[in-house]
Amino acid sequence: MPAYHPPTEEMLALLEEVLQAGPALAALPPLSPDGAEGDPLPLLRDVLEEAGRFAAGVLAPLNRSGDEEGCRLENGVVRVPQGFTEAYAAFVAGGWGGLSQAPEWGGQGLPRAAQILLDEMMASANFSFGLFPGLTRGAVEAIERHASEDLKARYLPKLVSGEWCGAMALTEPQAGTDLGLLRTRAEPQPDGSLRVTGGKIFITAGDHEMAENIVHLVLARLPDAPPGVRGISLVLVPKYLPDAEGRPGARNAMSVGALERKMGIHASPTCVMNYDGATGWLVGAPHRGLAAMFTMMNAERLFVGIQGLGIAEAAYQGAVAYARERRQGRAAGEKGEAAQPILVHPDVKRMLLTIRAFTGAGRALALWVALRMEEAARHPDPAARAEAEGHVALLTPVIKAAFTDLGFEAAVLGQQVLGGHGYVREWGMEQLVRDARIAQIYEGTNGVQAMDLAGRKLSVEDGALPARFFALVRAEIEAAGGTLGAEAYTAPLAAALKRLEAATARLTRRAAANPAETGAAASDYLRLFALVALGWMWARMALAALRAGGAATPRHRAWLDVARFFMARLLPQSVALDLALAEGAAPLLALPEEAY
Amino acid sequence: MPAYHPPTEEMLALLEEVLQAGPALAALPPLSPDGAEGDPLPLLRDVLEEAGRFAAGVLAPLNRSGDEEGCRLENGVVRVPQGFTEAYAAFVAGGWGGLSQAPEWGGQGLPRAAQILLDEMMASANFSFGLFPGLTRGAVEAIERHASEDLKARYLPKLVSGEWCGAMALTEPQAGTDLGLLRTRAEPQPDGSLRVTGGKIFITAGDHEMAENIVHLVLARLPDAPPGVRGISLVLVPKYLPDAEGRPGARNAMSVGALERKMGIHASPTCVMNYDGATGWLVGAPHRGLAAMFTMMNAERLFVGIQGLGIAEAAYQGAVAYARERRQGRAAGEKGEAAQPILVHPDVKRMLLTIRAFTGAGRALALWVALRMEEAARHPDPAARAEAEGHVALLTPVIKAAFTDLGFEAAVLGQQVLGGHGYVREWGMEQLVRDARIAQIYEGTNGVQAMDLAGRKLSVEDGALPARFFALVRAEIEAAGGTLGAEAYTAPLAAALKRLEAATARLTRRAAANPAETGAAASDYLRLFALVALGWMWARMALAALRAGGAATPRHRAWLDVARFFMARLLPQSVALDLALAEGAAPLLALPEEAY
């Protein structure tokens, strides 16, 4: 496994020069009355440097061993790989659990940008480990937004600190994407609690001994529930029932039936859970569990997209390190017998640049969304909050699906750079591929994300979400006109944006006539959208460099060079996607189902 | 693991209706004086049906267990998974080893098309198993073409029957793609043999006990060898030295140092080999080992491409079976509560059609090449032989690289159709992904294949190879003008061919000025080439259907429908590739190496 070097300076440069995060955050009211005011970047620097030391020093060394050892179920108890329990204790002790959580519940109240960058580092260093706090945060979001004050007081401080972990129990054998089919029952008891009975599968971190309690958020049906998705409720089911002092007390009636044997994320226990009359409490209104679940899911979907980003960064670093060391052949046209590092070969550069074209702009885009989340939560103007929320809603499926697809592609490219060594376990690159693969599947497959974008998100308020986003990008392109050299970056972006706008209008029109058009377009449409969004960030990065004097520093030169590569060699894919989308659903629906 | 159903009828229909294989083969002189004459298709049908029974009945049931159990090195002896030894014995007993080998050496002298289809079936049913005979066949090709009569007589009958297996020992720790760096020594002995000393890595099937002997073809340097690739010789080194009767005698001085632990192909032992003064014999002329090796490599590269095809077929079958069974949601616009099979969802169709758009035309293209190989070997006219050989040389890197890339992409898509179940080992789909991945790496990485195409193959005789190929495709497009409905398929193909021709001329021109242009274009150029070659086969299949009355049969209708999907939704990628290639090397070379 190659050493992990947290890209802290790049992260800070993006926040400062590309996203103007300092002024943007300083303009918002503080998260709590005693919150710090002014430029948060110096604090962020300290936090990120510390996070980088934790990820590189504590998590990365456990990544290969965690993959080899995996999790085990022993007499009903889940055992995590060696070192994970200690690493998780260090995570809790370091206060990483509540980084961007509300101070009210013990969080540190830092901007979500800090959380996203910590998530990226954890995904780069140890993808499996990052899932434990990742799921916990989803539970926190749902409880904070939807649970009673009593439940909040009882559970949030422990979950925010990370002393207790969270789990999301949605899927059942017959109910995955289609949650309307779920059967787990929740029966009201005289004391106001619920009795939960049923079986769930694919429950990430459903059980382990790293935390003193695990709080499951379980989707279930109340006795009077209408059928389908309108009859689903969200129930909080802790592994240990808190006693009067709030400490873990009696064991709840739930158990792990089995651990799944998986392609990757071996250090993350994927549990088959049985709830045998387990005690729980309703979160949110009866039958409104889906709304509460989407609070979790949206947080998780961004997190999963960031996992794709993190794995791409790890693949890039591993591949570059190898490409500098490994000597085979010589650059075209060079004389002499001595072999040169394979980094000289253009096809190796192509693979590395393709990864970096994603990680560079992907990180910027994720941070842009994190800033909008901050505005959505804290901006004093309701209209500004709503607009920010619209951008987050629009980009959430794009980040989940495109970042995990590109993250997987990046892992495959990074592995390819190592040739045969990339296929051998000890080098660690094939683990990145196996781990990355799950992110395209869980928290809603990428096909489901594409449907969310092309269906739901395009139709909100008659297309207001994409219209506002396109207007924003277009305004930036126009505003860049005064910067010398900007045209090389903004002209290809403007052309791609035009294609995306045309494709959006066409899809909206066609879908009104034939609903199958949405599904037939969804995946290609999402990729087209992602290309434009990434191209927008590359244009921003190039502009920031140009305004800072062009290629005056290595970082600014790199932004310009990779931006050019993206525009020249990757963004043309937007033309092909637009052409394919223009053909519509008919060529995809022609083959009769019996002929598959 | 889903059941494997050999697509025998589709294979035969391609041979008969799309490739006119019967008349094409009947026109060639028989392979041996007592060879059968006339239409070989009835015989091929019998052979393929038997091969399908072997693949589905004997090999497929060992695929999951072979992956789980893997190979082990015990006291220097390689143990293959349970059942593999018996399956290999059945393979030998069935005469599958010599299917398309010369009757002179005990082969059955069937057309190479039969071999390719057997290879596809084996790759679908049990990718790892197929490697044992696959490597053996490479050894047969090299010995048959380059070895002395004495070596041929001693080794070929046993290798052709499969009683002995072959292995190719090329790579060393410091010498992978750059074979000029290899150090293994071969010292001439007074008896005319060579004494081979050195270490090799990544030796597929370098040792096992399934065959009574294993014949290594080892690249090594003679004492007077010039440096670099002009000083490499090919040496035959058997595990057991044949005695006077040709039976395996004394153990040679070679051993397995270790087995690699890999991402996939667990049932194929990848050996670290040590040759400690092992006895061997020169194959071909001194210092001309690279030429002899390329004989092996070219055979192997086609074989590896077919592995990509086979794994895609397996992924398709597994995904379709699941998509018919699994019920989630309903088709867009459908009423009712009952969930429908996910095959109704357009995005699922998209994934399945994308796989099939490759397997359908890929199989046809591989068979087209197999027929050209037959002509190259047997056509009475030397000019026809040379032209056929040129087509084979041009398409070999395309098939190796594009088919393995598309095969991997197909495995990933197939896995995606299963959602979370695709990530769980017991379902078998994730194994397809892990197994498929190696094919993009071994026998020359796909980047090396792209360089072979964009560099070497484009420059042979001033571009004669692509010119002849493009003329052939163009002539077929023009000849199709008289068929009603052909335009829908030939027009997009003609446009893509024009792009490919322009890209070829541009690349040739630019590479003359700057050799780095070749490497910077290679991978995108190869993908563009493959799209045109596959599009050509889809046009052929559509034309065959139109001429047979359109959608008169389910098969013909499917050919038309999938051809349309390919033209509408996938072939537009050729536009993007052409645009990216037009930008040339500069955007890819700009970033300084220290900035990676």
Side-chain angles (χ1 to χ4, degrees):
Chain A
M1 200 69 184
Y4 170 60
H5 301 284
T8 314
E9 294 301 327
E10 171 80 2
M11 291 168 167
L12 289 163
L14 289 175
L15 283 170
E16 190 162 351
E17 301 177 40
V18 179
L19 298 159
Q20 288 77 43
L25 289 169
L28 297 176
L31 195 59
S32 67
D34 56 346
E37 296 208 24
D39 186 351
L41 285 191
L43 174 60
L44 273 182
R45 169 179 289 279
D46 291 347
V47 168
L48 290 179
E49 285 174 352
E50 194 58 44
R53 278 189 287 273
F54 176 70
V58 177
L59 299 186
L62 299 175
N63 196 34
R64 281 292 304 126
S65 57
D67 179 67
E68 292 293 344
E69 191 181 338
C71 295
R72 298 188 313 286
L73 185 62
E74 286 179 356
N75 302 321
V77 177
V78 173
R79 305 290 183 198
V80 296
Q82 282 190 24
F84 272 61
T85 300
E86 294 76 9
Y88 188 75
F91 176 89
V92 174
W96 298 113
L99 199 61
S100 64
Q101 306 289 4
E104 183 181 359
W105 307 114
Q108 300 192 38
L110 284 167
R112 283 160 181 78
Q115 181 66 52
I116 275 190
L117 295 171
L118 170 65
D119 287 341
E120 183 200 316
M121 290 179 183
M122 290 199 292
S124 294
N126 194 320
F127 191 102
S128 284
F129 181 92
L131 281 167
F132 294 99
L135 270 294
T136 302
R137 216 158 58 243
V140 167
E141 301 259 356
I143 294 170
E144 195 171 11
R145 192 87 75 92
H146 299 281
S148 68
E149 291 306 317
D150 180 58
L151 286 178
K152 284 189 204 179
R154 203 179 294 270
Y155 288 93
L156 282 181
K158 295 290 193 180
L159 286 167
V160 164
S161 71
E163 291 163 276
W164 294 2
C165 278
M168 290 164 56
L170 280 48
T171 304
E172 298 179 8
Q174 79 294 347
T177 296
D178 190 350
L179 288 168
L181 300 174
L182 69 81
R183 296 180 193 146
T184 294
R185 288 170 293 122
E187 291 166 275
Q189 303 300 301
D191 65 356
S193 70
L194 295 166
R195 216 177 124 83
V196 176
T197 306
K200 296 281 180 180
I201 61 170
F202 298 158
I203 309 310
T204 302
D207 193 37
H208 54 83
E209 306 261 289
M210 292 180 356
E212 58 182 22
N213 204 356
I214 300 176
V215 180
H216 289 229
L217 289 170
V218 182
L219 288 185
R221 289 188 185 284
L222 294 166
D224 57 344
V229 291
R230 289 187 184 79
I232 299 174
S233 299
L234 187 66
V235 187
L236 185 156
V237 182
K239 178 178 174 183
Y240 296 102
L241 299 165
D243 64 17
E245 281 79 44
R247 287 186 303 238
R251 184 74 152 86
N252 210 343
M254 54 202 279
S255 60
V256 181
L259 294 185
E260 299 289 355
R261 297 183 58 245
K262 310 182 298 290
M263 181 184 196
I265 54 167
H266 292 164
S268 169
T270 305
C271 302
V272 174
M273 291 299 308
N274 300 318
Y275 304 93
D276 304 309
T279 301
W281 292 271
L282 192 66
V283 173
H287 319 316
R288 299 296 303 274
L290 219 59
M293 187 207 73
F294 269 110
T295 304
M296 285 194 289
M297 288 287 270
N298 280 329
E300 292 302 313
R301 285 174 176 183
L302 278 173
F303 167 72
V304 171
I306 302 305
Q307 288 188 303
L309 177 64
I311 211 104
E313 175 67 33
Y316 179 79
Q317 292 192 18
V320 168
Y322 183 87
R324 287 196 199 289
E325 286 292 319
R326 176 73 172 172
R327 291 171 178 270
Q328 298 282 282
R330 282 167 297 285
E334 293 239 348
K335 302 273 179 253
E337 286 293 334
Q340 295 179 318
I342 61 171
L343 182 54
V344 303
H345 299 304
D347 195 60
V348 173
K349 291 182 198 270
R350 173 191 65 82
M351 294 191 271
L352 296 172
L353 284 171
T354 302
I355 305 178
R356 191 148 158 186
F358 161 47
T359 55
R363 187 178 290 123
L365 185 65
L367 290 172
W368 186 86
V369 171
L371 293 173
R372 297 298 81 71
M373 292 173 78
E374 216 60 42
E375 288 172 356
R378 289 159 56 192
H379 202 288
D381 176 6
R385 284 205 301 275
E387 179 166 342
E389 201 155 339
H391 289 316
V392 174
L394 184 69
L395 285 167
T396 293
V398 175
I399 287 184
K400 195 286 180 179
F403 281 29
T404 59
D405 282 349
L406 292 167
F408 179 72
E409 291 166 25
V412 170
L413 285 170
Q415 180 187 28
Q416 190 73 16
V417 169
L418 275 79
H421 297 103
Y423 200 68
V424 172
R425 291 182 70 126
E426 66 176 294
W427 286 80
M429 298 298 283
E430 62 87 39
Q431 184 190 344
L432 299 181
V433 175
R434 289 186 289 105
D435 286 354
R437 186 68 185 90
I438 189 57
Q440 301 171 284
I441 297 171
Y442 61 16
E443 300 303 337
T445 66
N446 285 357
V448 168
Q449 306 299 321
M451 284 298 287
D452 178 41
L453 174 69
R456 183 197 305 250
K457 298 295 164 65
L458 289 195
S459 61
V460 172
E461 296 173 41
D462 278 333
L465 301 191
R468 275 186 217 130
F469 179 74
F470 300 154
L472 178 74
V473 177
R474 185 169 305 285
E476 286 194 22
I477 292 170
E478 283 163 12
T483 305
L484 194 70
E487 174 104 2
Y489 308 94
T490 54
L493 171 62
L497 175 63
K498 207 168 154 182
R499 271 171 227 128
L500 175 59
E501 290 189 276
T504 305
R506 192 174 52 214
L507 176 55
T508 305
R509 196 173 59 243
R510 285 181 179 167
N514 175 8
E517 292 281 350
T518 304
S523 285
D524 282 352
Y525 178 79
L526 186 141
R527 180 56 77 104
L528 174 59
F529 201 113
L531 282 168
V532 170
L534 293 172
W536 169 45
M537 284 297 135
W538 276 121
R540 271 198 172 203
M541 290 161 77
L543 280 164
L546 290 171
R547 285 170 185 156
T553 71
R555 181 177 317 286
H556 290 140
R557 168 153 191 194
W559 284 357
L560 289 168
D561 287 343
V562 183
R564 185 176 168 206
F565 171 80
F566 179 88
M567 299 297 173
R569 302 284 305 233
L570 300 183
L571 194 56
Q573 291 165 14
S574 63
V575 179
L577 291 164
D578 182 34
L579 287 169
L581 287 166
E583 299 279 346
L588 198 150
L589 302 178
L591 189 70
E593 271 145 34
E594 63 273 18
Y596 274 83
Chain B
M1 201 69 186
Y4 171 59
H5 302 284
T8 314
E9 293 302 326
E10 171 81 2
M11 291 168 167
L12 289 163
L14 290 175
L15 283 169
E16 189 162 351
E17 301 177 40
V18 179
L19 299 158
Q20 288 77 42
L25 289 168
L28 297 175
L31 194 59
S32 67
D34 57 345
E37 299 206 23
D39 185 352
L41 286 192
L43 175 59
L44 274 182
R45 169 178 289 278
D46 291 347
V47 168
L48 290 179
E49 285 174 352
E50 194 59 43
R53 278 189 287 271
F54 176 70
V58 177
L59 300 186
L62 299 175
N63 196 35
R64 281 291 306 125
S65 58
D67 179 67
E68 292 293 343
E69 190 182 339
C71 296
R72 297 187 316 285
L73 184 62
E74 286 178 355
N75 303 320
V77 176
V78 173
R79 305 290 183 198
V80 296
Q82 283 189 25
F84 272 60
T85 300
E86 294 74 10
Y88 189 74
F91 176 88
V92 174
W96 298 113
L99 198 62
S100 64
Q101 307 288 5
E104 183 182 0
W105 306 115
Q108 301 191 38
L110 284 167
R112 281 160 182 78
Q115 181 65 53
I116 277 191
L117 295 172
L118 170 65
D119 287 341
E120 183 201 315
M121 290 178 182
M122 290 198 291
S124 294
N126 194 322
F127 191 102
S128 284
F129 181 92
L131 281 166
F132 294 98
L135 271 294
T136 302
R137 215 158 59 242
V140 167
E141 301 260 355
I143 294 170
E144 194 171 11
R145 191 88 75 92
H146 299 282
S148 68
E149 291 306 318
D150 180 56
L151 286 178
K152 284 188 203 178
R154 204 177 293 270
Y155 289 93
L156 282 181
K158 296 289 194 180
L159 286 167
V160 164
S161 71
E163 290 164 275
W164 295 3
C165 277
M168 290 165 55
L170 281 47
T171 303
E172 298 179 9
Q174 80 294 347
T177 296
D178 191 349
L179 288 168
L181 300 174
L182 69 83
R183 296 180 192 145
T184 295
R185 288 171 292 121
E187 292 167 273
Q189 303 301 301
D191 67 354
S193 71
L194 295 166
R195 215 177 126 83
V196 176
T197 306
K200 297 280 180 181
I201 62 170
F202 298 157
I203 310 310
T204 301
D207 194 37
H208 54 84
E209 306 261 291
M210 291 179 357
E212 58 181 23
N213 205 356
I214 299 175
V215 180
H216 288 229
L217 289 170
V218 182
L219 288 185
R221 290 187 185 286
L222 293 168
D224 58 343
V229 292
R230 289 188 184 78
I232 298 174
S233 300
L234 188 65
V235 188
L236 185 157
V237 183
K239 178 179 174 183
Y240 296 102
L241 299 165
D243 65 16
E245 281 81 44
R247 288 185 301 236
R251 185 72 152 85
N252 210 343
M254 55 203 279
S255 60
V256 181
L259 294 185
E260 300 289 356
R261 298 182 57 245
K262 310 183 298 292
M263 182 183 195
I265 54 166
H266 293 163
S268 169
T270 304
C271 302
V272 175
M273 291 299 310
N274 300 317
Y275 304 93
D276 304 309
T279 300
W281 292 271
L282 192 66
V283 174
H287 318 318
R288 299 297 303 276
L290 219 58
M293 188 206 72
F294 269 109
T295 303
M296 286 193 287
M297 288 287 269
N298 280 330
E300 292 302 313
R301 284 171 176 185
L302 278 173
F303 167 72
V304 171
I306 302 305
Q307 290 189 301
L309 177 64
I311 212 103
E313 176 66 33
Y316 179 80
Q317 292 193 16
V320 169
Y322 184 87
R324 286 195 200 287
E325 286 293 318
R326 176 75 170 170
R327 292 172 177 269
Q328 297 282 281
R330 282 166 297 284
E334 294 240 348
K335 303 274 179 251
E337 286 295 332
Q340 294 181 319
I342 61 170
L343 182 55
V344 302
H345 300 304
D347 195 60
V348 172
K349 291 181 199 268
R350 174 191 64 83
M351 294 190 272
L352 296 172
L353 284 172
T354 302
I355 305 178
R356 191 148 160 186
F358 161 47
T359 55
R363 187 177 290 123
L365 185 64
L367 289 172
W368 185 86
V369 171
L371 293 173
R372 299 296 82 71
M373 292 173 77
E374 217 59 42
E375 287 173 356
R378 289 161 54 192
H379 202 285
D381 176 4
R385 283 205 301 275
E387 179 166 342
E389 201 155 340
H391 289 316
V392 174
L394 183 69
L395 285 167
T396 294
V398 176
I399 286 183
K400 194 285 180 180
F403 280 29
T404 59
D405 282 349
L406 292 168
F408 179 72
E409 292 165 26
V412 171
L413 284 171
Q415 181 187 25
Q416 190 73 18
V417 170
L418 275 78
H421 297 103
Y423 200 66
V424 172
R425 292 182 71 127
E426 66 177 295
W427 285 79
M429 297 299 281
E430 62 87 39
Q431 183 189 346
L432 299 181
V433 175
R434 288 185 291 104
D435 286 354
R437 186 68 185 90
I438 188 58
Q440 300 171 285
I441 296 172
Y442 62 16
E443 300 305 335
T445 64
N446 285 357
V448 168
Q449 307 300 322
M451 284 298 287
D452 179 42
L453 173 69
R456 183 195 303 248
K457 298 294 164 65
L458 290 195
S459 62
V460 172
E461 296 172 42
D462 279 334
L465 301 191
R468 272 186 219 132
F469 180 72
F470 299 155
L472 178 73
V473 177
R474 186 170 304 286
E476 287 194 20
I477 293 170
E478 282 162 13
T483 304
L484 194 70
E487 173 104 3
Y489 308 95
T490 55
L493 172 62
L497 175 63
K498 206 168 157 185
R499 273 171 226 128
L500 175 60
E501 290 189 277
T504 305
R506 191 173 53 213
L507 175 56
T508 305
R509 194 171 61 243
R510 285 181 180 168
N514 176 9
E517 291 281 351
T518 304
S523 285
D524 282 352
Y525 178 79
L526 187 142
R527 180 57 77 106
L528 174 59
F529 202 114
L531 281 169
V532 171
L534 293 173
W536 169 45
M537 284 297 135
W538 276 121
R540 271 197 171 202
M541 291 161 76
L543 279 165
L546 290 173
R547 284 169 185 156
T553 72
R555 181 177 317 286
H556 291 141
R557 168 155 190 194
W559 285 356
L560 290 168
D561 288 341
V562 183
R564 183 176 169 207
F565 172 80
F566 179 87
M567 299 297 173
R569 302 285 305 235
L570 300 183
L571 194 56
Q573 290 166 15
S574 63
V575 179
L577 291 163
D578 183 35
L579 287 169
L581 287 165
E583 299 278 347
L588 198 150
L589 302 178
L591 189 69
E593 272 147 33
E594 63 273 18
Y596 274 83

